[in-house]
Amino acid sequence: MTTILAIETSCDETAAAVIADGSLIHSNIVASQIDLHAQYGGIFPEVASRAHAESISAVVGQAMTEAAITYADLDAIAVTQGPGLVGSLLVGINFAKGLALATERPLLGINHLEGHVYSLWLAPNFVEVEFPVLVAIISGGHSELVLMQGHGHYQRIGGTIDDAAGEAFDKVGRILGLPFPGGPAIERAARTGAIDAYDFPRAKTDGAYDLSFSGLKTAVMRAATVQPSARRRGKRERGAEKRSPLRDEVNINDVAAAFQDAVSDALVTSACRAARDFKANAVYLAGGVSANQMLREKLRAKLGLPVCFPPLYLCTDNAAMIGAAAHFRYRAGHRSPLDFEARASWRLSEDVYAD
Ligand code: KG4
Ligand code: ZN
């Protein structure tokens, strides 16, 4: 049995988990900073790294206590190396390096997107389908379509050319005056809205499997808010981040429903096309947006192949998924040098750990 302590601090969750054999969760602690960032309507990097520094020691301690093991029981220590906010990543990385040094355990720097992929392996009812499978990683920072040809073998075949899907949810949530993060709030509002109240665009991109969400966000803004006159627009832009007032007749639930419908359509269309063209045997959805029920249902209805999702608590950022990814890397002989650096941007591709 391989036991790994994993640490994740790439964005706004301070997380630690103990994972056995890449699939058994002994502990999974997530300290969310959402309340701290809600007032800014988004993640404030400086606030995030400070909050990580304050809670990392307690979070890791709790993960070890709940798993009821000692450091001597660990085979390795894993930590998210990137992509993410560098100031946040460094808190987790430096903590993990210190631990690895003190406990003389090998250290593995893990790609956060690969972590999202392996959240599927932690699903209680997960059935491993024969490769290749198409993985759609759709979160606040990423919207990527990746063909997984085996453990650790990825071919990136498309993704967003502008905003990530979760970012679009967050921005539209803000336009509608909903709480941050926008995804769950929009999903709730959409339950009583009419999807056909608005006909929002499904973006066409040059790449067959690429996605684009910034035009959709602009369309929502135009439809739902009072547009400033040309003269006042300059002022508003200088006046930083002020929210435009909603039109009197706007029903927030209708806008939320029509927007969610448009995002799901775009994702499902690209995922189905890619799965068919690359002869995938299944589609795995991962990342915060994969929690969305409408998206799940649309994909199930349209795909005609097995579809797998992580359980809801593993869709958003956590360290259990980093531990699961680390297990497969550890098994393949991967180890990181103690002086490895944080990576702000880092794509998931065949040679992901090559340099
Ligand atoms: O994976 P994640 O926790 O962080 C990143 O790695 O980015 O994803 C967070 C994103 C946020 O943008 C949030 O609005 C979105 O996932 N999200 C959702 C839902 N739950 C979270 N989007 C749509 N529907 C949801 N139910
Ligand atoms: Zn993530």
Side-chain angles (χ1 to χ4, degrees), residues 71-96:
Y71 287 109
D73 300 319
L74 292 176
D75 292 286
I77 294 168
V79 62
T80 305
Q81 185 179 354
L85 302 168
V86 168
S88 290
L89 288 165
L90 282 174
V91 176
I93 290 174
N94 288 335
F95 196 90

Side-chain angles (χ1 to χ4, degrees), residues 112 116 139-141 166-167 169-170 181-184 187 287-289 291-292 315-317:
H112 178 83
H116 276 298
S139 67
E167 192 179 353
F169 270 98
D170 295 339
E187 179 162 41
V289 181
N292 190 275
C315 288
T316 46
D317 289 347

Side-chain angles (χ1 to χ4, degrees), residues 135-217:
V135 191
I137 307 160
I138 30 179
S139 67
H142 307 275
S143 292
E144 302 273 298
L145 292 181
V146 174
L147 191 70
M148 188 173 184
Q149 288 139 331
H151 287 292
H153 296 290
Y154 309 102
Q155 181 188 351
R156 183 186 181 275
I157 57 180
T160 184
I161 55 167
D162 41 54
D163 291 350
E167 192 179 353
F169 270 98
D170 295 339
K171 286 180 177 170
V172 167
R174 188 173 150 71
I175 291 170
L176 298 178
L178 295 170
F180 178 81
I186 287 178
E187 179 162 41
R188 260 193 313 278
R191 278 190 205 127
T192 49
I195 53 170
D196 52 2
Y198 295 89
D199 189 14
F200 291 133
R202 274 69 172 156
K204 298 266 181 301
T205 53
D206 291 342
Y209 315 106
D210 281 340
L211 297 154
S212 163
F213 295 108
S214 77
L216 172 58
K217 173 203 67 195

